Amino acid sequence: MSAGLYIAFEGGEGSGKSTQAKILAKRIDALLTLEPGGTELGAQLRKLLLGVGEAPVGSRAETLMMAADRAQHVEELVEPALQSGRHVVSDRTAYSSLAYQGGARGLGVDAVRSVNEWALAGRWPDVVVLLDCPPGAGPRGRRSSDRLEQEGDEFHQLVHATYLELAAAEPDRFVVLEALGSIAEVSERVWSALADRFGWDDT
Ligand code: TMP
């Protein structure tokens, strides 16, 4: 049996990636999951990382806690599903750490990549769907309900710019799609890009 595909959705706040991840996962009967928070440990880390009013978290601790969430996620959920032949659709992956901690927090993409290389034991997503739109312009706007969403415009501009740099550096792994449009329009965009790449039937 061949291993499943590991498909990541990435993008800034309000890009609609959670909705699109859900639609794709249903269509291809994939395991739908998320970072941070896909496991029991991850749910606790998510609360510590994103909860307004939780203890202060510095940039390096933030990077390591995101990586810890991811290490558990890949070992407990992602890898077993892939090995059983099931596709996995993840709402965010290590590329979020490269953009947010590496780019926007200023820790450097290469440093954050090497922490994650170790945490993931080399298990990077097979394909990254980047839903691209200017910060704040996404279909879901920008709520201010968690700690990272509350960061200022400059932070979110840096996230956006770093994602585009990451995509340009790995054109074979990234599919960059316009995030603006109706849910149906964007999901069709996602489907045709992936169906094209993987030779999926139009079901
Ligand atoms: P979301 O999944 O609801 O978009 O929220 C997750 C938040 O955490 C979002 O602001 C991006 C941020 N994040 C990082 O900063 N680094 C990471 O590695 C991950 C997975 C998420």
Side-chain angles (χ1 to χ4, degrees):
M1 181 197 322
S2 57
L5 286 167
Y6 184 14
I7 301 168
F9 275 79
E10 295 283 355
E13 314 298 327
S15 58
K17 66 184 170 36
S18 305
T19 304
Q20 294 301 331
K22 198 167 157 187
I23 292 171
L24 178 70
K26 191 161 180 225
R27 191 157 183 183
I28 61 173
D29 189 30
L31 173 70
L32 174 66
T33 184
L34 84 165
E35 292 183 2
T39 62
E40 194 181 340
L41 174 66
Q44 295 183 34
L45 288 168
R46 183 178 176 98
K47 183 165 173 289
L48 292 172
L49 280 159
L50 303 182
V52 175
E54 297 288 343
V57 183
S59 302
R60 286 169 190 269
E62 183 178 78
T63 302
L64 293 169
M65 288 165 75
M66 291 289 183
D69 163 76
R70 184 164 299 128
Q72 186 68 24
H73 187 224
V74 167
E75 184 178 321
E76 185 178 318
L77 227 66
V78 176
E79 196 64 49
L82 295 174
Q83 290 312 320
S84 77
R86 188 136 193 237
H87 299 321
V88 174
V89 172
S90 187
D91 179 359
R92 297 194 181 281
T93 60
Y95 285 96
S96 289
S97 277
L98 302 192
Y100 283 77
Q101 282 66 50
R105 292 278 192 232
L107 293 178
V109 166
D110 289 343
V112 174
R113 193 194 302 276
S114 63
V115 167
N116 279 277
E117 177 71 27
W118 185 81
L120 289 171
R123 192 47 163 116
W124 293 77
D126 297 307
V127 62
V128 180
V129 179
L130 174 60
L131 293 183
D132 183 48
C133 59
R140 212 178 40 73
R142 198 163 98 212
R143 301 165 303 172
S144 293
S145 54
D146 75 36
R147 196 138 61 176
L148 279 135
E149 282 171 347
Q150 289 179 353
E151 289 288 342
D153 288 349
E154 195 187 338
F155 182 90
H156 292 287
Q157 294 287 356
L158 280 167
V159 169
H160 181 239
T162 310
Y163 268 132
L164 293 179
E165 283 168 24
L166 294 169
E170 288 192 273
D172 291 345
R173 198 188 308 256
F174 272 78
V175 174
V176 183
L177 299 174
E178 170 69 57
L180 300 179
S182 69
I183 290 175
E185 279 163 358
V186 178
S187 69
E188 214 29 61
R189 234 170 259 158
V190 170
W191 177 259
S192 62
L194 295 179
D196 228 33
R197 173 176 290 230
F198 296 116
W200 292 338
D201 288 340
D202 209 16
T203 48

